[in-house]
Amino acid sequence: MTIPHNSPTFYWAGFFTLSLRIVTGWTYFSAFWRRLVLENKLDPETAGYIGEKFNHFLPNALGIQPLIEYLVTHPDALWWSMIGFTIIEGIVGLFFMLGLFTRLMSIGVFFLALGILLGAGWLGTTCLDEWQIGVLGLASGFTVFFTGGGKFALDNYLPFLKRNPLAAFLTSGTLPLSKEKMLFTGITGTLFITFMTLFTNQYFHGGVWGTLHNKSVKPKIALETLQYHNNALHFSVYRTEGADVYGSFLIGISLQDAAAKTVFALQHDQLAAFPEEQIQNKHVAKIKPGKHSLVIPLGAKAVITLNAKEIQDLPRGTYTLVLTDISGIQWSKPLIIE
């Protein structure tokens, strides 16, 4: 049995979700507004470039790491993607608020939220911010797809909606589905969203059972490679955890021998003046000297070269490279010279 086309059900359902439509639509449209109107965050040469923010998602993204990795290693492709993504967010958010092609825009909201959830659901220093935005966006998009825009939607002024019931799948009004299909779709979608909510909450934060964890609190640097050749040390650093709003501030790099005696060391003032040509950045988020330290943003990856005279002609033996963050956290990696 199909719900009659003149049923008040969808009229009231769309009315009841009006506030949800306005708030959710603004969360996406405001991204466009902030990046292009209030500030220019699409300029790769300025602070706050949205591509660097996207780079922050990389270390612990779920399922879409290869895509992010490709984009942050290809700056031109990343810039065009950020342009396209911003325009899509602006259109989807504005049309969603206005109730124009409401159901089509609800699908857009759903997939934008899914992208945020998978890419950035692990971020959030206090309230799991990005995860909450992602799961609530999924639920909002799915709900408004069912309800449509109700009376307060521009869809009501689209003539072809009244002539073609199938247009309701893109706009508002009565969905031409039987009660059985509506029930099946509603239950299936709800189960999927519930699964994604609980699964990602557990995967990213341990929020369902076990020990809670938050990868946005303390910085973590992976020392991926360490080599000694041509009388120079070459090592790869990759910042994988910590707050995305500021970098890890490296205040010390030292090389110790097997007896834990320091062979070579750089202090914070020397790192603040570290030659940029000895840093080979791989991603858009760049490791670079700061005012008082070497700054390593979240998601940044680079090969750093040390060629001081103290480490030239090192004798055979076992050494340890130690990096020290301003917080006191240290990371180390052994080196064997044969």
Side-chain angles (χ1 to χ4, degrees), residues 227-292:
Q227 298 176 335
Y228 180 73
H229 62 85
N230 295 331
N231 288 320
L233 277 175
H234 308 271
F235 59 96
S236 174
V237 294
Y238 180 28
R239 167 100 181 276
T240 59
E241 293 184 16
D244 58 323
V245 293
Y246 55 84
S248 168
F249 302 104
L250 208 62
I251 60 170
I253 298 178
S254 64
L255 184 69
Q256 302 175 355
D257 61 18
K261 179 182 178 181
T262 300
V263 176
F264 166 76
L266 292 174
Q267 305 302 324
H268 70 93
D269 55 340
Q270 295 166 302
L271 290 171
F274 194 82
E276 293 194 34
E277 61 269 17
Q278 292 177 219
I279 305 173
Q280 185 182 355
N281 282 292
K282 304 293 185 181
H283 296 162
V284 171
K286 300 185 184 302
I287 298 173
K288 55 188 176 182
K291 189 174 182 180
H292 302 291

Side-chain angles (χ1 to χ4, degrees), residues 6 11 51 70 74 77 87 173-174 193 210 226 282 291 330:
N6 59 354
Y11 170 88
Y70 175 83
H74 295 78
I87 293 173
T174 303
I193 293 171
L226 175 58
K282 304 293 185 181
K291 189 174 182 180
Q330 292 186 324

Side-chain angles (χ1 to χ4, degrees), residues 11-328:
Y11 170 88
W12 286 111
F15 173 73
F16 291 146
T17 57
L18 177 61
S19 62
L20 182 65
R21 207 180 79 218
I22 298 298
V23 172
T24 304
W26 176 252
T27 62
Y28 291 100
F29 180 76
S30 65
F32 168 88
W33 190 256
R34 292 192 311 271
R35 293 172 202 161
L36 286 179
V37 179
L38 301 182
E39 294 183 46
N40 184 4
K41 294 189 176 184
L42 291 172
D43 184 352
E45 304 302 322
T46 60
Y49 172 47
I50 187 62
E52 291 190 20
K53 173 70 175 179
F54 187 70
N55 196 160
H56 296 161
F57 301 167
L58 175 61
N60 296 289
L62 176 60
I64 59 174
Q65 278 187 327
L67 173 61
I68 299 176
E69 178 84 29
Y70 175 83
L71 291 175
V72 299
T73 55
H74 295 78
D76 289 342
L78 175 63
W79 184 77
W80 281 109
S81 297
M82 294 300 97
I83 291 288
F85 184 71
T86 298
I87 293 173
I88 290 172
E89 281 190 305
I91 293 174
V92 168
L94 180 62
F95 281 26
F96 201 62
M97 288 189 290
L98 297 176
L100 183 60
F101 292 99
T102 305
R103 288 196 171 104
L104 179 61
M105 295 304 110
S106 72
I107 296 172
V109 166
F110 184 91
F111 283 103
L112 286 172
L114 183 62
I116 292 172
L117 178 63
L118 297 179
W122 64 281
L123 290 170
T125 55
T126 56
C127 299
L128 315 185
D129 308 328
E130 305 289 352
W131 176 80
Q132 291 176 339
I133 292 172
V135 295
L136 289 174
L138 288 180
S140 298
F142 182 71
T143 299
V144 174
F145 178 83
F146 268 95
T147 67
K151 179 178 181 179
F152 297 101
L154 293 183
D155 288 337
N156 294 307
Y157 300 94
L158 298 177
F160 65 84
L161 174 60
K162 297 178 180 179
R163 296 196 302 265
N164 184 2
L166 293 179
F169 283 110
L170 303 178
T171 56
S172 296
T174 303
L175 278 174
L177 294 174
S178 65
K179 291 183 178 179
E180 290 75 15
K181 290 182 179 179
M182 291 278 286
L183 186 64
F184 173 80
T185 305
I187 292 176
T188 302
T190 300
L191 288 175
F192 173 76
I193 293 171
T194 302
F195 169 78
M196 289 299 296
T197 299
L198 297 178
F199 171 71
T200 53
N201 192 210
Q202 176 64 27
Y203 181 86
F204 289 134
H205 307 289
V208 180
W209 70 84
T211 304
L212 284 168
H213 55 267
N214 190 338
K215 295 182 179 180
S216 295
V217 176
K218 296 180 180 180
K220 181 178 179 181
I221 293 177
L223 277 165
E224 296 189 327
T225 60
L226 175 58
Q227 298 176 335
Y228 180 73
H229 62 85
N230 295 331
N231 288 320
L233 277 175
H234 308 271
F235 59 96
S236 174
V237 294
Y238 180 28
R239 167 100 181 276
T240 59
E241 293 184 16
D244 58 323
V245 293
Y246 55 84
S248 168
F249 302 104
L250 208 62
I251 60 170
I253 298 178
S254 64
L255 184 69
Q256 302 175 355
D257 61 18
K261 179 182 178 181
T262 300
V263 176
F264 166 76
L266 292 174
Q267 305 302 324
H268 70 93
D269 55 340
Q270 295 166 302
L271 290 171
F274 194 82
E276 293 194 34
E277 61 269 17
Q278 292 177 219
I279 305 173
Q280 185 182 355
N281 282 292
K282 304 293 185 181
H283 296 162
V284 171
K286 300 185 184 302
I287 298 173
K288 55 188 176 182
K291 189 174 182 180
H292 302 291
S293 63
L294 193 65
V295 182
I296 307 180
L298 181 60
K301 185 176 185 179
V303 175
I304 297 176
T305 299
L306 303 177
N307 54 11
K309 62 180 181 180
E310 293 92 336
I311 59 175
Q312 293 183 5
D313 299 318
L314 285 174
R316 295 179 180 179
T318 301
Y319 299 85
T320 303
L321 180 70
V322 180
L323 307 184
T324 303
D325 184 75
I326 195 171
S327 64

